[in-house]
Amino acid sequence: MRILITGGCGYIGSHTILRLLEAGHDITVIDNLSNSLSESLLRVEKLTGREIAFVEGDIADRSCLEGIFDRDDIEAVIHFAGYKAVGESVDQPLRYYGNNVSGTLTLLETMDAYGIRNLVFSSSATVYGANPQMPLKEDFPLRATNPYGRTKQHIEEILVDLQAADSRWRIALLRYFNPVGAHPSGLIGEDPQGPPNNLFPFVTQVAVGRRDKVSVFGNDYPTADGTGVRDYIHVMDLAAGHAAALDYLSGHQGLHTWNLGTGRGYSVLEIIHAFEAASGTSVPYELVGRRPGDAPVSLADPSSAFRDLGWKASETLESMCADAWRWQQHNPDGYRAKALPA
Amino acid sequence: MRILITGGCGYIGSHTILRLLEAGHDITVIDNLSNSLSESLLRVEKLTGREIAFVEGDIADRSCLEGIFDRDDIEAVIHFAGYKAVGESVDQPLRYYGNNVSGTLTLLETMDAYGIRNLVFSSSATVYGANPQMPLKEDFPLRATNPYGRTKQHIEEILVDLQAADSRWRIALLRYFNPVGAHPSGLIGEDPQGPPNNLFPFVTQVAVGRRDKVSVFGNDYPTADGTGVRDYIHVMDLAAGHAAALDYLSGHQGLHTWNLGTGRGYSVLEIIHAFEAASGTSVPYELVGRRPGDAPVSLADPSSAFRDLGWKASETLESMCADAWRWQQHNPDGYRAKALPA
């Protein structure tokens, strides 16, 4: 079937597209390139030998969506498009709500008008907020603590109402934990525009010499080494989770929510040391104060996804580090330099 | 000062405009007339001898808003525009989120671009959801239980984030309880398009002969007579609350949330009997089953508005009924018939 991928040029989008092309699906991408480069799709085409239909455009542009739905026989949408930086969302909430929520509403209205009612939505563990109960289960209350997280929560709530109103909708809400790593080819990976907001790309950029040192925010948390513990998930596992969710929807009605995580946590220092071991580099770091809003620990209970989808993360911390390093080494400046591995 | 009133042709909007004109303010109205008639503004002009600048247009139409902000020197916005029927919102959630939330985002973005950052927002007691603790206080958690209520809750959350990001915004969130009654002239009042969703206009339409009988949803609630108890507030008190909130904002920064209610509850049967007494008519009713989602009791704690604004509801159940009856009698078919009192 042909699937529309919004925000398909981004990190998770491009890896998911690769997985779906390998599974035999056809892919159309809409991306406004506000935070990504279409080079990622050329790399995926190179890796798969398949063509991707790419439309540079915005999901808030109804006529652009209509053009796609008129031309392509789209059966499902995987909706990645959205701003994703917590700090930026605190400073520019209107921009975040406008882009993420209003954009999604335009997408949903247009899908509905075309009778396309299969949707996989890119949500986030941030919707759980500061819940201290671990591991996090899908039926915990939602209480996002920043505007970015609230855009995800609002969209989830809209989708629940939409599916309750019209049972023809089949919807998967995927709550990602911390996606890291890259395709093992080193051809595609995470390419943040500007300073990375997340630990992993920061570590890889330090290792490759683009930055001096990693800032470690807080070492007085109630964890084994005092630094924050997160549930890191390899992006190829995440991509497989999307493919599994999409398959599930073709056989099941309703709205379904799944955590995509491993259930296993690593501290900031464990990540830094594992990355040093995998890369053979040294990663200088500096201990600085806690960041407001950071939880000590965040861990998924991934058992629902295993029960329903038979999906389970299979990659290791070593492969997360090795694959991230291969990508970063071969593409020290990301896609912009267009440096291909020999 | 000149104030833009969105949705100003509606029930609460028109009464608030009258109050603001009497206080010496100038008024511009934007209303798409999707659920109202501009006749209400002609009536207000007649009552006040003042002119209202009316623009037929949608708050989701950025260029329409820009036209107003270019032309008029708007200093504050009171934002009433929005769909408001709970049942309809359950059936058509996308329409509700699109109109209420996306529309508000466009309004806020345009206000921000023009440096207009004084806003009074029309929220609702529905944001409290099914909280059994009474009376309801502003700092209770928000947990709306239907899409209409969630549009109000989402907008409140957006406004909190917006004001936190930019302290130049001065914002009042007004949570209305159950607005009833009409201006004592009988010239303006509530004019629902289609079957009324609320008790009061249903009662007045039965009294005037437009409908056969009132359905009373549930008589087995844990209340004195078994029927649901609500906090009814006279629309002229509500209008005064808006004027007081607007005054407050000119002297105070920040975001402020106030319940606008009386703190006093009346049951469905008490309302029916009070209305019979005030109108000298008989109002036949039928006991039917509970409506899903209806709470037994809903009551405001209005003490914050009194403390901060010096505002307090002063009208009585008798004046609520008498004024509603005067309006309905003189305008049995609402504004559509354009029947003016002799």
Side-chain angles (χ1 to χ4, degrees), chain B residues 10-13 15-16 80 84 122-126 148 174-182 189-192 197-202 204 230-239 242 260-262 271 311 313 320-321 324:
Chain B
Y11 174 43
I12 306 172
H15 288 79
T16 300
F80 292 104
K84 59 180 183 181
S122 199
S123 189
S124 165
T126 56
Y148 161 71
L174 303 184
R175 296 186 184 147
Y176 311 152
F177 282 69
N178 293 62
V180 299
E190 185 167 13
D191 180 24
N197 293 297
N198 299 322
L199 175 65
F200 233 83
F202 218 107
T204 64
R230 294 290 178 275
D231 184 331
Y232 296 93
I233 176 169
H234 195 293
V235 67
M236 293 309 300
D237 278 332
L238 202 56
H242 286 74
L260 294 184
T262 66
I271 293 293
W311 173 92
M320 297 179 202
C321 293

Side-chain angles (χ1 to χ4, degrees), chain B residues 248-321:
Chain B
Y248 187 90
L249 290 188
S250 60
H252 297 80
Q253 302 196 312
L255 178 138
H256 313 275
T257 308
W258 293 297
N259 287 336
L260 294 184
T262 66
R264 165 83 205 259
Y266 293 103
S267 75
V268 175
L269 294 183
E270 282 177 300
I271 293 293
I272 289 173
H273 297 319
F275 191 82
E276 288 180 325
S279 65
T281 64
S282 160
V283 176
Y285 63 87
E286 180 183 32
L287 295 166
V288 297
R290 292 185 182 193
R291 270 190 312 201
D294 275 357
V297 177
S298 173
L299 286 180
D301 177 339
S303 58
S304 299
F306 184 64
R307 180 195 64 213
D308 297 339
L309 307 176
W311 173 92
K312 204 176 157 179
S314 60
E315 300 276 349
T316 62
L317 179 58
E318 288 65 38
S319 63
M320 297 179 202
C321 293

Side-chain angles (χ1 to χ4, degrees), chain A residues 40-60:
Chain A
S40 59
L41 299 184
L42 300 179
R43 304 277 181 101
V44 174
E45 288 182 329
K46 186 183 160 85
L47 280 164
T48 57
R50 300 277 312 279
E51 265 187 44
I52 298 165
F54 172 57
V55 176
E56 183 175 341
D58 200 297
I59 56 164

